[in-house]
Amino acid sequence: MLHKVSYISASRNNSIGHQCLFTGCLFVFVFILFPFTTFAQEEEADTTLQIVEIEEELVLDTVFSDRKFLDRGASEITYTKGINGIKIFRPDTTLDYFHIYDPARQKDFRFLNTGNIGSAAHYIFFDNYTPFGFRTGHEQFDVYRFTKDNIPFYNSRVSYSNLKIMIGTNREQLYEATHNQNIGSQFNFGFNFRRVASTGLYTNQETGNNSAALTARVNSKNKRYTAQTILQLNNMKSLENGGVEFTGMFDDTTFTTKTLLEVNSPNARTEDREMGALVRQSYSFGKKAYESINDTTVLYEFYPSITFYHEAEYKRRKYRFYDTNPDSLFYDDFYSISDSIENQYIFKDLRNEFGVNFSRIKCIDTTGSPQYNDFLIRASATYAYLEWFNQFHFESLSELNVNFSVSDHPNVEGRFLYAGNLRMALASYNQGDLRANAYLGLQGDKWGQLKVLSGYSRQEPAYVAQRFFIRDFSWQNDFQKENYFWLGADYILPKHRLGLSGRMFTLSNLIYYDSDRRPAQSDNAQNVFTASLDHSLRVGWFGLDNLLRVQYLTQDDALRVPLFWMRSSIYAQGRIFKKVMLGKVGFDMYYNTPYDALYYFPMTGQFQLNGNNTLNYVPRLDLFLSFQVKSLSIFAKMQNLLQGIGEQNGNFNFYRYPEYDRAFKVGLSWDFYN
């Protein structure tokens, strides 16, 4: 008979102290999950396993005598992205792109903000980013939000924490904290927090975004039943100056004090607050396994092959823009005879989702790991009740969506790659929406990975494009559904750190915001061709990372993107101080070709055409230094190094919104393991 033996660590006191720090957070989850934990405790124990208690139950986040759990590289900490995530990731412990801290400008760098960290952001590289289903249309802060699809869910036998801090001039700051911990063998909780804030250089430019998420997971003893909970808060606050009035500021070197420049709305601000709660319950069928930790300790593991689940989610969002001293010339038709102007609404979303995931397990190998067949099938149905209202309009809506997908398993290495996904909206506001996409590919040991992709989307425009209500001004449109078709290919050669991609989009009925600040629908079908090169070259201590992108539009009546865009990094990296420290020093260069960049109008919260004002750009150079000792990484950088030298006075991110000025930044990332 195989016995599972509890083990008491020599560092038990330290573990208890570590747990007490987060005890207050647990009361909320105990209250929410109490019915589920009761069910879990009543679950029958596995009859093939006997529990031998020695003083107390095994606490999985204590330090085992086996030293592998204390070693950073072998701590076996993994996570999935989102509550329905299956693909397994490991925390990034490299210095690659570590110094690029702005959530809108990180590794793949598809977005730009309006000139200050935490401010409204919009894509600079076109892709089909639109989420499926009902959309309010206010998506300018989405890159900073925590959602059920991007919150990490950790799986670790040790408690894991990560702290990130970045500070810079103009009180620019980014704080991130992550903690994951097991309490006994059946309960796990996590905490994620992010603050992005800055006062900015220009009048009325301050930002202050806070996001927090608490997660909890309860398993039955045999790990077949799981209950998970998310409590989340996204609180976005941004002072909105409408951009500078003098767009020739970079051609006139006499301007040195940015706060003296006049702005379009010196008294406006946007507040976007979202609170949500989600409970997910699932029951799985699969295979059991046992892992020997040492001579006296054996851990029980369960690997699901088919999982049935139910999710219940509630979100409440309050969006408000207001200006206490509006300028009638700036707001034009939106202006009313009053001492203030306001655009606000409350949106409520209550939804239930039922689904199933299936992938067959062939066997459990000699290491106790599952060997899956290379397929994954998912099916789900979602019903939602929605309410949108302000003091001028109320509307209740419903949503019924179905989703079916089949793909290769994300955690199985196979030669053939494939996926197909179909989503349909069957009722209410989005009735008739459809999204289908697929890919086929090959994975080679030497020549890399090749995928051919295709997709089609037919989707209702966002709510704000169809209906807009404020005092003395509104619109109610009847736009047709937007249609996207795309075809493309991706090639990745990991050995040579090379990635290539190309896309062809055909867009019809495209919604955009014209220079009169109203939504419009394009009458012309438009083709967009994009190509991207991502390559890293390492020779000894020296490295060169290039991200190059080309975008060509056959029509420019609705879209505005640069023809060419690049980010290049040249650096030296290696072990120093008797190979104890990993050091890296280098330069980042950014450049894009001139184009008619969009303008952000804070009253509607939309990026609109700017009236065909072409903006010219000069290269931007950042100097950075970073190093790493064990689990601590630190960087320092001088941003926009060449500003003020010759003609390098600066650029605009968007029309009337200048980019970052020269500034000094420092930051750190620190991992903690118990």
Side-chain angles (χ1 to χ4, degrees), residues 134-138 334 343-345 388-390 392-397 428-430 460-470 473-479 511 513 519 604 606:
F134 180 89
R135 296 171 293 137
T136 64
H138 290 107
F334 294 84
N343 173 26
Q344 62 87 22
Y345 64 83
W388 188 102
F389 60 93
N390 64 11
F392 308 106
H393 182 74
F394 171 84
E395 188 164 5
S396 62
L397 307 161
S428 193
Y429 180 81
N430 287 73
E460 187 73 14
Y463 190 84
V464 68
Q466 298 279 41
R467 298 169 175 81
F468 182 82
F469 302 93
I470 62 171
F473 185 83
S474 65
W475 64 62
Q476 295 193 59
N477 297 312
D478 188 21
F479 292 132
I511 299 294
Y513 287 78
T604 59
Q606 305 300 317

Side-chain angles (χ1 to χ4, degrees), residues 202-203 241-250 255 258-267 323 325-331 517 599 613 615 652 654-658:
Y202 301 85
T203 300
N241 61 24
V244 297
E245 291 188 1
F246 180 46
T247 58
M249 54 178 293
F250 290 131
F255 286 98
K258 307 298 183 181
T259 54
L260 296 180
L261 289 171
E262 293 186 1
V263 297
N264 287 298
S265 55
N267 300 285
D323 191 338
N325 187 22
D327 181 346
S328 60
L329 295 178
F330 175 65
Y331 290 104
R517 299 167 179 178
Y599 171 69
N613 293 290
L615 302 182
F652 287 87
F654 295 98
Y655 182 59
R656 296 190 180 275
Y657 289 92

Side-chain angles (χ1 to χ4, degrees), residues 376-389:
L376 174 63
I377 297 175
R378 289 182 160 189
S380 64
T382 304
Y383 174 78
Y385 173 75
L386 315 171
E387 288 185 352
W388 188 102
F389 60 93

Side-chain angles (χ1 to χ4, degrees), residues 287-507:
K287 291 184 179 293
K288 298 171 286 186
Y290 305 94
E291 181 180 356
S292 297
I293 299 302
N294 50 41
D295 292 339
T296 59
T297 305
V298 176
L299 294 182
Y300 165 78
E301 293 290 350
F302 174 77
Y303 300 102
S305 60
I306 182 169
T307 299
F308 297 92
Y309 70 88
H310 166 248
E311 285 182 16
E313 181 180 13
Y314 174 76
K315 289 191 296 185
R316 183 182 187 274
R317 180 179 182 183
K318 182 177 181 181
Y319 182 92
R320 185 188 186 204
F321 167 85
Y322 61 98
D323 191 338
T324 57
N325 187 22
D327 181 346
S328 60
L329 295 178
F330 175 65
Y331 290 104
D332 197 17
D333 292 342
F334 294 84
Y335 180 79
S336 60
I337 302 175
S338 65
D339 58 356
S340 64
I341 192 169
E342 182 178 34
N343 173 26
Q344 62 87 22
Y345 64 83
I346 294 176
F347 174 67
K348 296 180 180 180
D349 183 347
L350 175 62
R351 61 183 57 227
N352 283 273
E353 178 178 328
F354 295 88
V356 59
N357 301 329
F358 172 62
S359 185
R360 184 173 178 272
I361 299 177
K362 294 186 293 186
C363 64
I364 303 296
D365 63 20
T366 56
T367 65
S369 299
Q371 299 298 307
Y372 286 91
N373 282 96
D374 194 14
F375 73 89
L376 174 63
I377 297 175
R378 289 182 160 189
S380 64
T382 304
Y383 174 78
Y385 173 75
L386 315 171
E387 288 185 352
W388 188 102
F389 60 93
N390 64 11
Q391 57 183 321
F392 308 106
H393 182 74
F394 171 84
E395 188 164 5
S396 62
L397 307 161
S398 61
E399 188 178 273
L400 177 60
N401 300 333
V402 293
N403 177 49
F404 177 79
S405 68
V406 58
S407 69
D408 54 86
H409 198 287
N411 299 317
V412 174
E413 294 184 2
R415 180 176 178 81
F416 296 100
L417 309 173
Y418 62 93
N421 178 259
L422 176 65
R423 296 183 180 182
M424 295 185 293
L426 304 180
S428 193
Y429 180 81
N430 287 73
Q431 184 174 356
D433 284 9
L434 172 69
R435 180 168 295 176
N437 52 68
Y439 68 75
L440 293 173
L442 290 173
Q443 175 73 54
D445 296 333
K446 295 182 179 180
W447 51 266
Q449 180 188 104
L450 175 65
K451 286 183 179 179
V452 178
L453 310 94
S454 181
Y456 172 75
S457 175
R458 181 179 71 236
Q459 190 158 354
E460 187 73 14
Y463 190 84
V464 68
Q466 298 279 41
R467 298 169 175 81
F468 182 82
F469 302 93
I470 62 171
R471 181 168 50 191
D472 300 328
F473 185 83
S474 65
W475 64 62
Q476 295 193 59
N477 297 312
D478 188 21
F479 292 132
Q480 299 180 37
K481 293 184 184 295
E482 297 179 276
N483 294 280
Y484 292 5
F485 170 78
W486 65 95
L487 181 67
D490 291 341
Y491 176 67
I492 301 173
L493 186 59
K495 180 179 179 181
H496 296 285
R497 301 174 181 265
L498 173 66
L500 296 169
S501 68
R503 299 284 189 277
M504 185 277 288
F505 298 89
T506 298
L507 316 175

Side-chain angles (χ1 to χ4, degrees), residues 118 163 173 192 198 341 370 376 476 498 513 559 566 575 594 640:
L163 175 66
Q173 54 190 271
N192 295 273
S198 176
I341 192 169
L376 174 63
Q476 295 193 59
L498 173 66
Y513 287 78
L559 288 179
M566 66 171 288
R575 293 283 177 179
N640 212 347

